[in-house]
Amino acid sequence: MQKSESFTLSSLLSFSGGLQDAYTYNVRGEVFANAQTGNIVLMSQNFMSGHWEIGLQYLIPLVSFIAGIFLAENIEGKFKANQTIHWRQIVLIIQIIVLVAVGFLPQSLNMLANALVSFSCAMQVQSFRTVHGFGYASTMCIGNMRSAATSLSQYIRTKKKSYLYKSLHFFGIILIFALGAGIGGLLSGLIGMETIWFSAITLIIVTLMMIRQ
């Protein structure tokens, strides 16, 4: 199993993902960095109501999210065979630089800040997709909730411990995401714009863990 699929590393990524979502919502004008479904709903609602400027605040993170997926996929394609540095480490380094930069942006540039955090989240969710061989998402919960509930149901029905093992992995990831979001919310009220640097620090730890692989 690759280090990038370990539960510890996946937990740190989920913690960072929850913190990023809490940060953009609490500090950067109630926009979600990860929950693009919510952004689509709010964008459409505001466009339909004629509130074009507000709708644009939700459209830009959507476009940035797509751009982040695109870049991460291209990095994987170009560097997957590289023996010097793992392609996922390149993604993490870009994320760290982006998130550190976001902490310096003033409130007047909230739209840019949200776009950059969404870009970072997209790169992460595209690059880290499995934990112990199970497909998961480190920056959102709906797919993880489905997998956790499905596996738990399968365990109750079949009594196979492998399903319980899988279910507990997903519930653990969800809990840690929630912990990251909760801490992110608290820090947002205490520190403000610089709260995002705690997410960057978490990703630095992940990068160092992968170097030790």
Side-chain angles (χ1 to χ4, degrees), residues 190-207:
L190 294 172
I191 302 173
M193 293 184 299
E194 292 83 6
T195 297
I196 196 65
W197 290 344
F198 285 89
S199 184
I201 291 170
T202 305
L203 295 181
I204 289 172
I205 295 171
V206 172
T207 305

Side-chain angles (χ1 to χ4, degrees), residues 24-70:
T24 55
Y25 187 84
N26 288 291
V27 179
R28 298 294 186 174
E30 298 186 347
V31 174
F32 291 110
N34 304 326
Q36 299 305 324
T37 301
N39 286 338
I40 290 173
V41 171
L42 294 170
M43 176 194 69
S44 179
Q45 177 178 294
N46 280 285
F47 282 163
M48 291 292 182
S49 302
H51 302 139
W52 297 99
E53 185 175 346
I54 298 175
L56 189 63
Q57 294 178 9
Y58 298 101
L59 173 62
I60 290 177
L62 288 169
V63 175
S64 296
F65 195 89
I66 293 170
I69 297 286
F70 185 87

Side-chain angles (χ1 to χ4, degrees), residues 7 26 35 66 78 87 94 106 114 127 133 136 139 142 149 160 169 171 188 196 211:
F7 184 80
N26 288 291
I66 293 170
K78 292 180 180 179
W87 68 270
I94 295 173
N114 289 326
S127 302
Y136 89 114
T139 63
I142 187 166
K160 291 183 178 180
H169 267 71
F171 278 122
S188 293
I196 196 65
I211 290 174

Side-chain angles (χ1 to χ4, degrees), residues 118-160:
S118 290
F119 179 82
S120 169
C121 289
M123 294 189 73
Q124 180 172 311
V125 77
Q126 173 68 13
S127 302
F128 297 88
R129 289 174 284 182
T130 55
V131 50
H132 280 196
F134 310 137
Y136 89 114
S138 63
T139 63
M140 58 194 74
C141 287
I142 187 166
N144 296 336
M145 292 172 66
R146 179 190 60 79
S147 296
T150 298
S151 298
L152 181 60
S153 175
Q154 290 171 330
Y155 167 70
I156 293 172
R157 180 163 42 82
T158 67
K159 306 304 179 185
K160 291 183 178 180

Side-chain angles (χ1 to χ4, degrees), residues 171-184:
F171 278 122
I173 292 294
I174 294 166
L175 178 62
I176 292 166
F177 181 94
L179 181 64
I183 291 175

